[in-house]
Amino acid sequence: MKFFYNLERTDFGEYITIEITDNKNSGIGAIVPERYKGENYKVIMGAIEEYRYVVEKATIKDTFSIPYMLEEHFPNHPKVIFAIDAAFKELYSKTYNIPLQKLLGRENIQECKVENGEKIFPEEYGIIDLVKVLPLFDDYVFMLTKYPKGEMHEVLRALSTNFKHVEVFSWKERLFI
């Protein structure tokens, strides 16, 4: 596996993109640091660098275990783990020609705004498979972030189909929640 990450700049600040590739296909992930939570791109890039060895050593067959390996290796960076997990899932989807919808979600796609219900930001959970089962335990509102260049959109969209309620907003709006 080849693992790349890059600092992207926008009019509202910086965010980090990651790419995992096997030379034929690639998967993309993104992390937007939320300053009001004390996050910044330097800390996130440091965490990504700590994960580099584990990711580069992994194979496509590790797709469903990689987030757990990362959590064990260097915990407390759920957004980084989520972005890497999303990139692996996208790569797996392309490699084996399995639609992300089938891999991560259900057939029905719905976008609606709900005022009540606990809002969850999937990136903050770190592990996609954990987010996938959350609707079994409570009536959550899935907060689907649209990233600057559409990073992780297909992964998040497919994952959101597991939830009854989905709220869609831009990454800019997320910075001011």
Side-chain angles (χ1 to χ4, degrees), residues 36-164:
Y36 72 95
K37 291 183 176 180
E39 299 172 350
N40 67 61
Y41 76 89
K42 292 176 186 175
V43 172
I44 289 172
M45 290 180 88
I48 291 170
E49 191 59 36
E50 288 291 326
Y51 290 132
R52 175 180 286 288
Y53 173 75
V54 176
V55 173
E56 288 178 340
K57 196 172 91 173
T59 68
I60 193 71
K61 293 177 182 174
D62 295 316
T63 296
F64 297 95
S65 62
I66 192 74
Y68 304 100
M69 294 180 341
L70 296 173
E71 179 68 29
E72 183 178 310
H73 177 72
F74 193 54
N76 300 324
H77 289 282
K79 285 184 175 181
V80 177
I81 292 172
F82 188 91
I84 293 170
D85 194 11
F88 263 95
K89 297 281 194 307
E90 184 177 358
L91 177 62
Y92 187 92
S93 169
K94 290 175 181 176
T95 300
Y96 293 107
N97 199 27
I98 300 170
L100 281 166
Q101 179 91 8
K102 191 171 188 173
L103 190 64
L104 302 176
R106 296 187 316 202
E107 293 301 316
N108 63 326
I109 297 174
Q110 47 194 331
E111 294 183 7
C112 62
K113 208 166 191 171
V114 176
E115 296 303 321
N116 51 9
E118 184 179 347
K119 296 180 179 187
I120 64 146
F121 295 90
E123 301 91 335
E124 294 177 2
Y125 283 81
I127 300 171
I128 289 175
D129 293 333
L130 173 64
V131 176
K132 186 177 171 180
V133 299
L134 283 174
L136 300 174
F137 302 103
D138 207 344
D139 195 21
Y140 295 103
V141 178
F142 185 94
M143 304 299 284
L144 192 153
T145 303
K146 289 190 175 182
Y147 286 88
K149 295 180 185 170
E151 298 94 347
M152 297 195 302
H153 181 70
E154 290 304 313
V155 168
L156 290 169
R157 185 172 157 260
L159 191 57
S160 74
T161 63
N162 293 297
F163 294 78
K164 289 181 189 174

Side-chain angles (χ1 to χ4, degrees), residues 8-28:
E8 305 280 346
R9 298 189 189 275
T10 65
D11 54 343
F12 274 86
E14 304 87 9
Y15 74 104
I16 299 98
T17 59
I18 63 156
E19 178 182 7
I20 298 170
T21 181
D22 63 2
N23 291 326
K24 292 182 196 174
N25 298 303
S26 64
I28 305 291

